[in-house]
Amino acid sequence: MAQAIARAIAARAALVVEAGTGTGKTFAYLVPALLFGGKVIVSTGTKTLQDQLFERDLPLVRDALAAPVTTALLKGRANYVCHYHLERAVRENRLPSRDDARHLAKIVAFARIAERGDRAELADVPEHAAIWPLVTSTRDNCLGQNCPHHADCFVLKARREALEADVVVVNHHLFFADVMLRDEGVAELLPNCNTVILDEAHQLPETATLFFGDEVTAGALGDLARDAEITARTAVRDVAALPEIAADVVPALRKLRLAAGETIGRFARDAVLARPDFAGAIDDLATRLERLASALDQFAERGEEIAVLAARARDVQRRVARWRDATDAVHAADDDEGEWIRWIDVTPHGFALAASPLSVAPLMRRHVEGSARTWIFTSATLAVGGDFSHYTAQLGLEAATTQAWTSPFDYGTQALLYVPRALPAPNSSEHTDAVVDAAVPLITASAGHAFLLFTTLRALSRARERLAAALTGCGLDYPLLVQGEGSRSELLARFRTLPNAVLLGSASFWEGVDVPGDALSLVVIDKLPFAPPDDPLLAARLARMREQGGNPFMDWQLPQAVISLKQGAGRLIRSETDRGVLAICDPRLIDKPYGRRVWQALPPMARTRDAAVAVAFLEGMRGVVRERG
């Protein structure tokens, strides 16, 4: 793999690489990248992996090679404490809770002594604490060179270090935000970059779709209203009506959320506009945003903060109106208007008005082929049975070289694939109960140490109830850790340390989770992870494929499901000494003609449909663990 990447770097070519778990792909791309020299950008899937790469893997390879390279870590601006917003939070003392008052004091002390100002270095304040948005900046509310703390800005310091470094580690969200929006500093790095390495590259189609498109969230609109009201009461005190104009946006947000309905999910723009009260609600919101933008425009000359707010208000007002009217594309120069899909994403307490290109391939192809640099795309899950065409077509990488290396692990003896018999249809109301019933003997045999992964939150909720009752009935007091009852990092930390733990998760636990060793010996997946066919963007893509004479199921839905399944299955075997059972509770794996294509794309595990065989495998593992103990 390292040799293939070296050839691509030498030729300034694009290379798409699948490397199974345990291949050592991080070393395989770092070694040639550091040896060839030049400016290198490495982007990975999450901030956690970004930190691991920068703090552990990169120094290890650099020292082993004795390579005289400098390195830098660059995150999005929301990860760095902002001196200006921190000072304002202290001055205004309008905090969400008493906990946040305590957190604020810790952040103030941290900002005085911090070198980087990276909030990840302040473990005493929870990652999801409500205080963080109040003491960090966004692209919209940054004052730029007019900020009184410009000289001490942590974001600017991180950017300067990144500009000077030979190797810069970023994450995908930052990479795309910077390349497309010309915001956070990668836009300055890229012109001088020789090599771009995109790890966890299976995430790129979704991330690219997000950043090539447009989104306006209820949260961002609420933040605008809050900031405008605070500024109106402090910097424009002589205009009595301005705070009320700002505050008027909030009830319009509530009204639109109510008009969107109680059902959570994504809905096409045309469908939701047909609902009672929705068209009136979005008209009302657009009117109030226009009123706020016009009012702020009148006072923009009074100071930089008001000018920034006025620009924010005008920007979101135009974006909301554009979504409502479908008047033009987000990037009119990039794509024909007919290629854009608009929808609303309705969440329990908010919404997002979104627009995306039907395909990101033309946009991505232009960025890759229009530059004289190397592009490396790598992940453990990019191909389906050695075929990369689904992935490369999504990103316009048809001209790229593709190669695959399987895992060095001995899956035939380390792992068992078990598909239970007599399961009901996956779309039946009885399916989730049957999954739990099939899982209980396995969980008993493995003494916990299990992940149960579900394709929907509804199934997850139902499974939690039934599993808790089943374990109690068996006299098993195993800790149940459930997605939503703590952050992902907290749940994983508890899973690794608690004996006999069982973790129930949905989408966020299917990938990027690494639990090697005896802590995890059983992974149960409820069904093949086909995307909901009524998702507006997917429905539009499938309709286009039909128009072009393609087979939407075989050409899109099945390959996408296989890649997602490979991610979930990849949680089980993380080292050469791991052993375990992968249970996939979907009869389509056996009953449907395409089932063979699915399981053949998985690592080459031993296979069984006999529950007794799966139980014996797990019980045998427990004996080995006891002997080692």
Side-chain angles (χ1 to χ4, degrees):
M1 179 177 170
Q3 290 171 342
I5 290 172
R7 289 191 294 270
I9 293 174
R12 298 204 169 205
L15 174 65
V16 180
V17 178
E18 179 177 278
T21 306
T23 306
K25 64 178 183 296
T26 304
F27 293 170
Y29 63 67
L30 285 179
V31 168
L34 268 57
L35 287 177
F36 269 82
K39 188 90 172 183
V40 180
I41 296 177
V42 182
S43 180
T44 191
T46 65
K47 287 180 287 186
T48 300
L49 292 172
Q50 187 184 0
D51 287 333
Q52 175 183 305
L53 185 62
F54 181 75
E55 301 288 351
R56 189 187 72 184
D57 299 338
L58 185 51
L60 183 63
V61 174
R62 180 185 60 191
D63 294 347
L65 297 175
V69 299
T70 55
T71 63
L73 179 70
L74 186 60
K75 298 181 180 180
R77 64 169 71 244
N79 292 278
Y80 301 96
V81 175
C82 171
H83 292 295
Y84 175 79
H85 287 95
L86 176 60
E87 185 180 84
R88 192 175 81 165
V90 172
R91 182 176 66 247
E92 292 167 357
N93 197 28
R94 296 176 58 172
L95 301 174
S97 69
R98 291 181 181 177
D99 283 342
D100 288 304
R102 290 192 291 271
H103 296 331
L104 181 61
K106 294 177 181 177
I107 296 171
V108 169
F110 169 72
R112 291 196 188 109
I113 62 172
E115 286 291 322
R116 293 194 297 179
D118 185 344
R119 54 190 267 189
E121 297 173 352
L122 184 56
D124 288 346
V125 179
E127 179 184 354
H128 301 291
I131 187 67
W132 283 121
L134 303 180
V135 298
T136 55
S137 69
T138 66
R139 180 172 60 96
D140 294 324
N141 66 20
C142 175
L143 299 183
Q145 294 184 351
N146 295 303
C147 178
H149 300 279
H150 185 263
D152 301 319
C153 178
F154 289 124
V155 172
L156 290 182
K157 181 180 179 182
R159 286 184 184 179
R160 286 193 295 267
E161 291 177 354
L163 282 169
E164 295 168 1
D166 300 309
V167 181
V168 185
V169 181
V170 300
N171 60 64
H172 297 335
H173 278 73
L174 176 62
F175 181 82
F176 277 100
D178 292 346
V179 172
M180 305 314 148
L181 304 179
R182 299 294 190 264
D183 173 39
E184 306 281 355
V186 172
E188 300 171 32
L189 291 169
L190 203 57
N192 299 318
C193 174
N194 303 93
T195 303
V196 176
I197 299 170
L198 297 155
D199 200 349
E200 300 296 318
H202 62 278
Q203 299 177 2
L204 295 182
E206 183 175 347
T207 308
T209 298
L210 172 66
F211 282 101
F212 279 124
D214 189 33
E215 183 179 74
V216 182
T217 67
L221 294 172
D223 289 345
L224 169 67
R226 179 201 66 205
D227 292 348
E229 185 178 358
I230 291 172
T231 301
R233 296 188 187 280
T234 55
V236 199
R237 295 179 181 176
D238 55 318
V239 184
L242 192 52
E244 181 180 340
I245 292 173
D248 275 350
V249 172
V250 176
L253 295 174
R254 296 196 194 102
K255 181 179 177 182
L256 185 61
R257 174 60 189 84
L258 287 172
E262 297 181 2
T263 305
I264 307 303
R266 289 179 172 186
F267 304 95
R269 169 191 167 277
D270 291 348
V272 79
L273 279 173
R275 294 179 181 177
D277 304 326
F278 189 88
I282 198 167
D283 285 344
D284 184 38
L285 175 60
T287 299
R288 296 189 193 203
L289 288 171
E290 166 62 37
R291 186 181 175 210
L292 175 60
S294 297
L296 289 170
D297 281 341
Q298 296 178 40
F299 306 102
E301 295 181 356
R302 290 199 180 188
E304 183 65 22
E305 186 173 4
I306 303 175
V308 169
L309 268 174
R312 281 174 65 189
R314 183 58 64 191
D315 176 57
V316 296
Q317 177 268 320
R318 287 171 177 160
R319 288 158 66 194
V320 170
R322 184 167 57 210
W323 187 92
R324 177 194 61 183
D325 301 333
T327 50
D328 59 359
V330 177
H331 306 289
D334 290 338
D335 255 308
D336 178 71
E337 167 60 14
E339 298 294 308
W340 285 77
I341 305 300
R342 292 176 175 81
W343 76 90
I344 183 171
D345 187 3
V346 181
T347 61
H349 305 292
F351 60 84
L353 305 176
S356 294
L358 194 61
S359 170
V360 299
L363 302 166
M364 195 69 189
R365 184 183 298 114
R366 187 171 70 239
H367 283 280
V368 173
E369 296 181 356
S371 62
R373 65 176 60 92
T374 302
W375 293 77
I376 306 296
F377 301 80
T378 184
S379 169
T381 55
L382 297 178
V384 179
D387 180 6
F388 287 86
S389 59
H390 175 69
Y391 181 79
T392 55
Q394 289 184 81
L395 292 181
L397 300 174
E398 294 89 347
T401 301
T402 61
Q403 287 188 261
W405 285 271
T406 58
S407 171
F409 300 154
D410 184 4
Y411 282 98
T413 58
Q414 287 182 249
L416 179 69
L417 172 61
Y418 166 52
V419 181
R421 291 191 177 100
L423 287 169
N427 60 353
S428 69
S429 58
E430 301 86 15
H431 182 259
T432 300
D433 288 351
V435 170
V436 173
D437 294 345
V440 168
L442 305 178
I443 294 170
T444 303
S446 65
H449 307 288
F451 273 10
L452 273 63
L453 302 178
F454 296 89
T455 52
T456 66
L457 291 175
R458 179 182 300 175
L460 173 64
S461 177
R462 172 60 188 159
R464 187 205 193 290
E465 294 178 8
R466 190 170 182 89
L467 182 59
L471 292 179
T472 300
C474 295
L476 299 174
D477 188 22
Y478 292 171
L480 286 188
L481 308 177
V482 184
Q483 179 178 326
E485 298 179 4
S487 71
R488 189 172 87 152
S489 58
E490 291 168 356
L491 291 174
L492 286 172
R494 292 176 63 198
F495 181 83
R496 292 186 180 103
T497 56
L498 287 172
N500 313 115
V502 179
L503 189 149
L504 284 74
S506 187
S508 63
F509 285 91
W510 281 66
E511 61 178 271
V513 175
D514 190 11
V515 186
D518 300 329
L520 178 62
S521 55
L522 171 64
V523 172
V524 179
I525 293 176
D526 71 333
K527 63 177 75 171
L528 299 180
F530 288 107
D534 56 352
D535 176 274
L537 186 56
L538 177 59
R541 285 172 172 165
L542 299 183
R544 173 59 57 87
M545 293 186 77
R546 289 189 201 95
E547 292 171 5
Q548 296 174 342
N551 183 323
F553 180 79
M554 296 302 293
D555 297 341
W556 186 282
Q557 290 170 284
L558 183 61
Q560 197 70 34
V562 170
I563 289 172
S564 296
L565 182 66
K566 287 170 68 176
Q567 277 292 324
R571 299 316 97 210
L572 182 62
I573 304 298
R574 307 299 298 176
S575 77
E576 58 191 11
T577 59
D578 285 357
R579 298 185 75 223
V581 169
L582 170 65
I584 302 178
C585 301
D586 192 326
R588 293 174 294 186
L589 205 62
I590 306 298
D591 300 343
K592 297 295 184 181
Y594 59 78
R596 183 180 182 85
R597 185 179 175 191
V598 175
W599 60 256
Q600 284 187 332
L602 295 172
M605 306 175 183
R607 301 190 304 275
T608 187
R609 300 207 68 194
D610 190 335
V613 172
V615 167
F617 188 97
L618 291 165
E619 289 179 340
M621 285 179 55
R622 288 174 63 188
V624 171
V625 171
R626 283 194 294 270
E627 288 177 12
R628 285 209 301 260

